[in-house]
Amino acid sequence: MTRRFRALSAVLLAAVCLPAAGVGQAQAVGYRYWSFWDRAGGRWTYATEGPSTARPGDGDVQGFRFAVSRDSQDAAQPRGSTDFAAVCAKTPAQQGEKRIALVLDFGTKADAPSGETPPAPRTACARVPADATTAEALAAVAGPLRYDTNALLCAIAGYPRKGCGEQVASGRSTPSKSGGAADEAKTADEDGGPSVGLVAGGAVVLVLAGAAVWQSRRRRGDA
């Protein structure tokens, strides 16, 4: 193999390896929003429906947490531990109504929109009609609430003052598991096609193979 061929190989390999190395360090993207939770058995679970349709029963505990997260699996839970008895101890039951214990966690400064400071976390006991939704219970004890045109909950107790589910950099990178050729071969784009790394790698193999053939023919011609 001549020095010219070795130089060509190095350039082609670098052209693939350098972009591929940057793929694994892409900035993770998240959304700044209020997540909605149910509490049972001393544990928080991400709510399966929104507060405007959920109809909790008397004695239920529900929570809201403001934070930046990528999805429900990544969402931050309300902090601290509490139960219905502690939150609603001073709110007596009344016939035809129900009591909902609400945990409101306004999040951290790191997750706050620019120029805003999150209020301290707090709890509230909402006593509302028996058929009330969580949104109605929340409005009774933590107004003003703010919604966007798609009925997404944007603010509780006036926080934050602006913004609603905006996309932000979450500050975390998403490195690939190994970066090896096997991982590249298994990776596919959203449209189901092969990954960029795999296509580029195949192109390099073809180009190098062609260069090797050319080099062999050149040697026979010189002979």
Side-chain angles (χ1 to χ4, degrees):
M1 183 182 291
T2 65
R3 281 182 292 179
R4 179 181 297 178
F5 180 62
R6 288 197 295 269
L8 176 61
S9 302
V11 170
L12 290 172
L13 288 172
V16 172
C17 293
L18 287 179
V23 170
Q25 296 300 324
Q27 188 77 8
V29 174
Y31 299 88
R32 183 183 287 119
Y33 69 101
W34 280 100
S35 57
F36 175 37
W37 302 78
D38 292 312
R39 188 172 179 84
R43 295 179 56 189
W44 288 111
T45 57
Y46 203 91
T48 57
E49 59 181 316
S52 61
T53 58
R55 297 182 186 276
D58 183 72
D60 283 352
V61 179
Q62 297 185 311
F64 292 85
R65 171 70 188 265
F66 188 77
V68 173
S69 57
R70 294 189 297 269
D71 51 42
S72 61
Q73 300 300 316
D74 180 59
Q77 300 179 1
R79 292 169 292 178
S81 59
T82 189
D83 57 26
F84 176 79
V87 177
C88 291
K90 297 181 180 180
T91 304
Q94 288 189 2
Q95 187 174 2
E97 295 187 329
K98 61 184 177 183
R99 294 167 298 163
I100 311 301
L102 297 174
V103 178
L104 310 177
D105 188 336
F106 296 85
T108 66
K109 182 64 177 176
D111 287 332
S114 178
E116 298 201 46
T117 300
R122 63 186 177 92
T123 61
C125 186
R127 188 170 59 195
V128 292
D131 62 347
T133 64
T134 301
E136 291 171 324
L138 188 63
V141 297
L145 307 180
R146 178 167 58 84
Y147 293 88
D148 71 357
T149 55
N150 297 313
L152 176 67
L153 179 62
C154 304
I156 295 177
Y159 181 83
R161 295 190 301 272
K162 57 184 180 179
C164 191
E166 63 270 24
Q167 190 178 78
V168 296
S170 68
R172 283 173 289 183
S173 61
T174 53
S176 60
K177 292 182 180 179
S178 68
D183 283 57
E184 290 289 355
K186 295 177 183 177
T187 302
D189 292 335
E190 290 183 354
D191 62 2
S195 69
V196 174
L198 183 58
V199 171
V204 168
V205 170
L206 291 175
V207 172
L208 291 180
V213 171
W214 171 82
Q215 181 68 17
S216 176
R217 289 177 179 176
R218 183 171 181 273
R219 285 178 178 175
R220 288 198 299 268
D222 290 342

